[in-house]
Structures are given as structure tokens and as C-alpha cells.
Amino acid sequence: MAAALSLFAATPQQIEVSRRRAGASAWGSGMTLDQYVQRDIDLQNSECGRDGRYLTWVLAPRNDPHTLDFLCSCKTFRRAGLIARRNHNSSNSDLEPLIEPVECYGIAAVFTPPENRRKGYARLMMSLLHWVLAGNNFTSTGNIKFPSDIWGTPPAPPKELGMGTATFSALWSDVGDFYGRCGPDGVDDDSSRLRKSGGWVIRGTRMTRWCPRRDASTALMHADTGSDLHSHSGEWQWLTQEEVNRLLLHDAGRMRKDLRARWFEITSTSSSKTKALFTFLPSGGVEAFQRERLRRFWEKEKIVHWGVALSDPLGDLSTVQAFATWTLDLRSPALRTLIVTRFRCGSYSEESERSANDHENQARILCELLQKVWEYCSEHAVEAIEIWNFPSKLREVGYRCARQWFVPSGPDGEEEFERTGHLPAFKWYGYGYGPTTINSTDSGLALEEVDVEWVFNEKFCWC
């Protein structure tokens, strides 16, 4: 059965059907079907979706690839990422990492109509998707063989899409570890060769949730913390969407330094088994996607600011020491929620050079940053705040400061918990040292996900 099916880039007509199928489900909550469809069109035309970066894929019969009765569908977003790994060509290869930009993908909207569920279609589609995203990597090294005796010939996306060389991909699962069973060399459910793993691996499910205190005041906060917003060489500034986008361009550059510093941190630990690091970059409309998809619900409130940053007195965003950016989920009847998309207070690269005074200053800045978020929540009647994977090194002082302005609101009244939805999961297609090329005879050490660390696993990259 599986050999009679394959994965195809959707036609315009299939894209329309895919949108209407999903919009008629719970995904369209709070919108009419036409509003859901228009939102998807707007996202495709946005910075993170235009120029072929946002594509729809369908699982369909090989003999009828354009059918509107396709079995299931999904979407991919081509993105920019960074990786760090051992530099095989360096004279100091044991220490200095190779840090390089790579092509990567976010995967979203995996949808199977109810009548087609529990038949193995979604699993087959997702298994074939690996070959669309990274098939050139697989075939150039021979590390993974396409099971043509089970699946027929590999999917062949149009050449003009330029796909097949991804270093990693990620998705956010609402069906537990299902996608972990969708490997690139998995087989049909009826085969005795069925693999139980090899797909996307869940990593980093911590979430911090607070409710803003209504009994706090600015005067009380200053009295409690001794904070003076003008006591250091910088000013807090509220950020418009345009300013957030500009700030994240600078942040993408700092992430490169952070990956290098994190590499040295982990390689200095003899017990560490990590052989590669990766991150999505928040620029290029990736972080902005979080606001665009919710625009219909917040634009009527004429909200202007989407972040706050500590920069020099001239407001130079390249000098920012700390910042938070966010989106707002105002869909009723749920709580009005501020979702932090990107959070920075210091960096890996500064950690080893800090003195006691530096740590004290960082703690003060972190407290002020959380205070500014609270002020925004108060102004916009925000009822809850969520942060994905709050930086572990900031957790102790950050949570202590936060209790002055926020009340922990996890499922059992805790601040931090393991969430059960939108579970981040990634698949690594790259290698353990480089540089490598598709035609290289020395293609590096193939790695498994256990060897790889996802850095900056935050809300900004969700799709």
C-alpha cells in the first residue's frame, strides 16, 4: 500500500482544500472559516513565508498526485539556523568549534481528516518528509537507505525549490511522542521491520507561568528591590514591531558568539557527550510570526509595543544588554496571556568573565526587566504570562524577583512545570565535524539526537 503513495508539493487547489480542512477543525477556534483561510494566506505572504519559504505538502496516490481527495497534509517553513561542531580542519580542532549558518525547517499543521486517521498515513507522510528536507544528505553519505522495497521511489520535490540539504528540522507535537516513530528509514505498519524510533526527538518542555499581582505598585517594587532605572549606563525603551525586528537582527549576531561560548562550556566538562549545538535564528520574520498569526485578536486594541530593552541612552539597539519580546493571545474565553517569544539577560560569552559585581548588576537588570514586563501586563490587562525554557542560569534570582510582581500559576500552583502540549521535537541531519559538502569524501561523523543540544529553545521559533 505505501509504495502506491508519495509526498508531493501541493497545487494551489490542494492548498485551498488543506486550509479549509484545518480551518473547519478546532484549529479555527475564534475565527470563521474564511478568516482562518485568509490568515493562512497572510502568513504565506509574510516575511517568514514569502519566496517559497512556506510550503504545503500532501500525501497522495502516485497515479493521481493532484487529487483533491489527498490523504493528509503538512506545512514547512524554510529558515536560517546556526550550528556549532568540532572543526576537523582546524589546527586546534579539539577546542575551537566550527560555527556556520545552515538551512533548517520548522514543520507545522500536520492534519489528517478524521476518516483517514489510524491508517498510518500521517506516519508515512512524516517519514517521507525527511527525504524532502534532507534527502541529499542521506544519499551522499549512505548512512541511511531509502526503503524502496516498502515505499517505492523517494519523493522528488520540484528542483526549483532547492530542497534536500537541511541540517535539522523541528516541530511542536500535540500528540506526545508520535513523531519520534516517524523515521526516514521506518517502514509500513504491517511490516515486521517496523522501527519504533528514528524520528523527531522531544527536547525542552519546561514552561514558566505566572499571573500578574494586582496588589503590587511601582513604589512598592522600588522599595523592595532598591532599583533605580537610571542608576546604570542605559535606558529602558519600549519596542514597536519594527524595533523588535531590528533588535533581533543584532540578536542573531550575538547568538553566534553565544554558541561559541556554550561550546567551550560543554567541552570543558569531561562528562559531556554533546558533539553539536544548533539554534534557529529569530530574525527574518521568524519571531514576528508569533504576532502575525494572532493579529486578528489584538489589532482592534491598537497595541503599539511588543517588547522592552535596556540600551544606551541614545537607544542604539546594537548595544542592548537585556530584553524581552512577546506576543499576546487575547482569544476568549481563555485568560489574556502574554507569551514571551525571546528573552535575553546577559549571554554565554560573558559568563566566564563576570566578577561578583557583574553578577549583582545582572541580577538587578533581570529584576528590572521583569518589572517592566509586569508594568506592561498591568497596562494591557494581561491575566497570565508564559515563558518557554526560562534560562536555567537565571532561574534562581529571576524567580525570586518575579514573586514581587507575579503569582506562580502552574497546574499545581508551581512556577515551572513540564507542559503536555506544543512539545518541541527535532531531527538532526548533520554531522559531528566539518566543514563538509555534499560531494565530500570525508563527510564527518553522523550524529544522533542524543549527541546534539538545542540552544535557545524558546517560543520565537514555534510554528
Side-chain angles (χ1 to χ4, degrees):
M1 176 190 71
L5 305 172
S6 193
L7 190 62
F8 301 95
T11 66
Q13 294 78 16
Q14 288 173 324
I15 292 172
E16 176 72 12
V17 171
S18 174
R19 286 169 171 155
R20 293 193 170 273
R21 284 180 179 180
S25 72
W27 292 355
S29 177
M31 293 176 280
T32 67
L33 182 56
D34 287 342
Q35 287 172 341
Y36 180 91
V37 170
Q38 185 59 51
R39 183 187 73 169
D40 202 65
I41 293 172
D42 292 342
L43 290 173
Q44 186 171 11
N45 293 330
S46 69
E47 185 178 7
C48 74
R50 66 174 71 110
D51 299 325
R53 286 191 284 269
Y54 175 20
L55 295 171
T56 300
W57 303 88
V58 298
L59 184 72
R62 292 179 185 271
N63 61 6
D64 192 11
H66 297 161
T67 178
L68 300 184
D69 192 26
F70 52 87
L71 300 167
C72 51
S73 62
C74 65
K75 299 172 183 176
T76 58
F77 290 84
R78 187 175 74 247
R79 294 175 167 176
L82 284 177
I83 65 168
R85 54 182 174 167
R86 185 163 65 89
N87 191 345
H88 185 60
N89 290 348
S90 171
S91 59
N92 197 16
S93 60
D94 290 335
L95 295 177
E96 190 66 33
L98 175 70
I99 300 175
E100 57 186 337
V102 296
E103 183 174 280
C104 50
Y105 288 84
I107 302 163
V110 178
F111 187 83
T112 305
E115 65 272 17
N116 290 338
R117 294 174 186 172
R118 300 187 180 278
K119 297 179 181 180
Y121 295 139
R123 179 177 178 182
L124 176 60
M125 175 180 69
M126 299 305 288
S127 296
L128 293 174
L129 185 61
H130 294 294
W131 291 89
V132 170
L133 303 182
N136 291 347
N137 289 351
F138 297 150
T139 56
S140 68
T141 64
N143 289 327
I144 297 178
K145 303 291 187 182
F146 188 84
S148 56
D149 56 327
I150 303 295
W151 292 345
T153 57
K159 291 184 178 180
E160 62 268 21
L161 296 180
M163 303 183 73
T165 59
T167 299
F168 62 89
S169 65
L171 51 78
W172 289 262
S173 174
D174 288 319
V175 288
D177 64 355
F178 167 78
Y179 298 103
R181 301 190 293 273
C182 304
D185 56 351
V187 294
D188 186 79
D189 284 345
D190 296 329
S191 172
S192 60
R193 293 169 49 203
L194 176 66
R195 285 182 53 129
K196 299 295 185 183
S197 61
W200 289 269
V201 173
I202 294 172
R203 184 75 59 79
T205 60
R206 290 186 297 107
M207 181 156 79
T208 301
R209 181 183 291 157
W210 295 311
C211 289
R213 287 171 56 115
R214 300 305 177 192
D215 58 346
S217 69
T218 302
L220 174 62
M221 289 184 292
H222 282 194
D224 285 349
T225 64
S227 174
D228 179 351
L229 294 181
H230 303 285
S231 64
H232 43 70
S233 58
E235 298 285 344
W236 288 102
Q237 75 179 93
W238 298 106
L239 305 174
T240 65
Q241 290 199 77
E242 180 182 350
E243 288 168 332
V244 167
N245 293 339
R246 284 166 38 210
L247 170 62
L248 293 175
L249 283 172
H250 295 295
D251 188 46
R254 293 183 71 177
M255 283 178 163
R256 174 182 286 269
K257 296 179 180 178
D258 288 338
L259 253 62
R260 180 178 182 273
R262 176 59 180 158
W263 177 267
F264 286 128
E265 185 178 60
I266 62 172
T267 54
S268 66
T269 305
S270 59
S271 60
S272 174
K273 297 181 180 179
T274 302
K275 298 180 176 66
L277 311 173
F278 76 89
T279 184
F280 288 101
L281 294 180
S283 50
V286 172
E287 186 273 346
F289 171 87
Q290 311 305 325
R291 283 181 295 283
E292 289 300 317
R293 64 179 300 275
L294 294 170
R295 175 180 290 275
R296 180 172 297 278
F297 302 99
W298 57 255
E299 64 181 350
K300 59 186 176 183
E301 299 195 15
K302 302 187 185 320
I303 294 171
V304 175
H305 296 125
W306 297 99
V308 66
L310 179 64
S311 61
D312 68 17
L314 298 178
D316 183 354
L317 294 177
S318 68
T319 68
V320 164
Q321 304 173 53
F323 71 85
T325 62
W326 52 74
T327 186
L328 291 173
D329 191 343
L330 306 181
R331 292 175 290 183
S332 61
L335 295 178
R336 292 169 61 90
T337 302
L338 182 150
I339 304 170
V340 173
T341 54
R342 179 79 182 96
F343 190 94
R344 177 185 286 279
C345 186
S347 65
Y348 284 112
S349 57
E350 299 166 355
E351 190 68 31
S352 62
E353 302 172 1
R354 286 199 183 102
S355 65
N357 287 339
D358 291 333
H359 283 285
E360 182 179 341
N361 187 53
Q362 183 191 35
R364 182 181 61 195
I365 291 173
L366 175 58
C367 288
E368 291 176 1
L369 175 56
L370 293 172
Q371 172 187 327
K372 302 304 284 185
V373 174
W374 177 87
E375 290 175 7
Y376 184 94
C377 290
S378 297
E379 179 182 353
H380 294 283
V382 169
E383 299 170 295
I385 175 174
E386 295 180 355
I387 306 176
W388 286 11
N389 296 310
F390 191 90
S392 58
K393 292 184 177 181
L394 304 178
R395 204 175 303 156
E396 181 179 355
V397 64
Y399 287 180
R400 185 171 64 249
C401 289
R403 293 182 191 119
Q404 299 174 79
W405 314 303
F406 299 97
V407 177
S409 63
D412 297 315
E414 71 275 56
E415 283 167 310
E416 184 177 288
F417 58 95
E418 301 291 330
R419 65 183 185 274
T420 57
H422 297 341
L423 305 177
F426 76 97
K427 177 63 180 175
W428 178 259
Y429 308 119
Y431 305 99
Y433 59 79
T436 60
T437 64
I438 292 300
N439 298 317
S440 173
T441 57
D442 182 10
S443 56
L445 175 66
L447 300 180
E448 295 187 1
E449 286 67 31
V450 69
D451 303 315
V452 181
E453 179 179 316
W454 185 345
V455 188
F456 307 116
N457 183 353
E458 301 175 28
K459 179 71 176 189
F460 75 83
C461 53
W462 176 86
C463 60

